[in-house]
Structures are given as structure tokens and as C-alpha cells.
Amino acid sequence: MIDILGRVGGEEFCIIFATGEAERIEDKIELFRQYIENHNVIYEETQINITSSFGITCFRKYMTNANELVKTADDILYKAKREGENNLCVKITES
């Protein structure tokens, strides 16, 4: 099994981890979010601060296909954005 990274929207990307425990993945994504926050980009002598928000979920028994997984993650991402930029929101429960 392999992990997959793809662009799903203008500023939205999806990472599908083929294996792994949800809590460990959450820790990795939080470290990634912090890395992005702490490493600014210089463009034409201007410093640009970048932030990111993430929605994390896991494939569940009731999901019938990958589209449901991506839709759930997208819903959680928008919840993270509503709660404030530079945020991580996780939904791992069955419901």
C-alpha cells in the first residue's frame, strides 16, 4: 500500500495515508502545520507568512467509497477554517 497526495481544489490538497494509527498521523500533521507556520517565504525581498489548516479523518466501516472519505475530510477542513486560520481539526469517531 502507498500513501497518496493530490490537489483537490484551488488551495486544497488531500493526503491519504494507506496505513497508520490516527493519533500518530495527527501528530505528524501537527508537526507539518507548525513547520509551515515557522518557515516564511521570501519573494521579491518581501517576507510572506504562510499558515495552513487541516481536516483529518479515518476511513470507517460505514463509508462505501473513497469519495465519502474525502468529503468527510473536506467538511472537517472547513470546520477547522471556521474555527480560525492555522488550525487542525480531527474527526476519528464512528459517527
Side-chain angles (χ1 to χ4, degrees), residues 10-21:
E11 298 176 344
E12 296 177 2
F13 295 84
C14 180
I15 304 170
I16 298 176
F17 295 97
T19 60
E21 297 175 16

Side-chain angles (χ1 to χ4, degrees), residues 3-45:
D3 298 334
I4 301 169
L5 169 66
R7 184 176 178 190
V8 294
E11 298 176 344
E12 296 177 2
F13 295 84
C14 180
I15 304 170
I16 298 176
F17 295 97
T19 60
E21 297 175 16
E23 292 78 16
R24 289 184 59 215
I25 290 170
E26 180 181 351
D27 291 343
K28 288 180 181 181
I29 296 298
E30 176 58 19
L31 287 173
F32 185 48
R33 187 199 63 74
Q34 290 174 12
Y35 179 86
I36 292 168
E37 177 183 32
N38 293 320
H39 289 82
N40 300 316
V41 174
I42 305 296
Y43 178 74
E44 295 184 356
E45 300 180 20

Side-chain angles (χ1 to χ4, degrees), residues 1-2 5 11 16 27 38 43 47 49 58 61 64 77 82 85 92:
M1 301 186 95
I2 60 171
L5 169 66
E11 298 176 344
I16 298 176
D27 291 343
N38 293 320
Y43 178 74
Q47 179 175 306
N49 301 326
C58 293
K61 296 175 199 172
T64 59
L77 169 62
R82 283 191 306 273
E85 294 179 356
I92 302 175

Side-chain angles (χ1 to χ4, degrees), residues 6 9 21 26 43 49-51 54 63 69 87 93:
E21 297 175 16
E26 180 181 351
Y43 178 74
N49 301 326
I50 299 174
T51 60
F54 293 88
M63 295 178 176
L69 176 67
N87 198 6
T93 60

Side-chain angles (χ1 to χ4, degrees), residues 71-90:
K71 170 74 168 98
T72 301
D74 194 50
D75 291 346
I76 296 166
L77 169 62
Y78 278 95
K79 182 177 187 282
K81 288 181 176 182
R82 283 191 306 273
E83 291 178 359
E85 294 179 356
N86 204 27
N87 198 6
L88 176 70
C89 190
V90 181

